[in-house]
Amino acid sequence: MDILIHLFVALHIIGIASLLGGFLTQMKAMGQGTARFVPAMLHGALTMLITGAVLVGLNQADDQTVNNVKIGVKLALLVVILGLVYVKRDEEQVEKGLFGLVGGLTAANIFIAVLWT
C-alpha cells in the first residue's frame, strides 16, 4: 500500500507543478496584461483533484488518520482554482487580479499542505 500511496503523492506533486509552472510561465505576460490560463494549469488542477481524492481514500483504507478539516480547506481552494481556470480557459487575456488570485490560491494550497500538521 505504501508504494501506491507514494506513487499518487508523486502524481499529486506533478499536478501542482503543472498548475504552478503554468502560472509562472505567464508572469511576464501578466505584467503586460496579456496573461492567459494555459492548458497545463487546467490539467494540473484536474490531476491534483483526482490524485488528492485517491490519496484520501488510500490513506483511510490503510487505517492512517486523515485531517478532514485540512483536506476540506485544500479542496475548497482547489475547487475555486479549478472553476476559475475552467471558465476562463478559452479567453485570450485574463485580468491581472484574477490571474494573481489563482497564483495566490495555488501558493496557499502548497503552504497548507506543507505547514499544516
Side-chain angles (χ1 to χ4, degrees), residues 23-34:
F23 173 79
L24 293 175
T25 61
Q26 293 290 305
M27 288 292 290
K28 184 176 179 182
M30 186 174 92
Q32 299 168 347
T34 60

Side-chain angles (χ1 to χ4, degrees), residues 5-104:
I5 290 172
H6 291 304
L7 174 70
F8 276 95
V9 167
L11 292 172
H12 196 68
I13 291 170
I14 289 170
I16 193 71
S18 179
L19 176 59
L20 186 61
F23 173 79
L24 293 175
T25 61
Q26 293 290 305
M27 288 292 290
K28 184 176 179 182
M30 186 174 92
Q32 299 168 347
T34 60
R36 61 185 306 264
F37 292 130
V38 295
M41 295 175 76
L42 177 62
H43 298 151
L46 287 170
T47 300
M48 286 178 60
L49 180 65
I50 293 166
T51 58
V54 170
L55 281 168
V56 169
L58 287 174
N59 282 305
Q60 288 180 340
D62 198 29
D63 289 329
Q64 296 181 26
T65 58
V66 175
N67 186 339
N68 291 320
V69 175
K70 175 182 174 180
I71 299 301
V73 170
K74 286 179 53 60
L75 178 62
L77 292 177
L78 185 57
V79 166
V80 171
I81 292 167
L82 190 54
L84 291 172
V85 172
Y86 184 78
V87 168
K88 300 284 189 175
R89 73 187 184 282
D90 291 331
E91 292 187 13
E92 288 297 318
Q93 295 180 2
V94 178
E95 299 84 21
K96 284 183 185 182
L98 192 60
F99 196 79
L101 176 64
V102 168

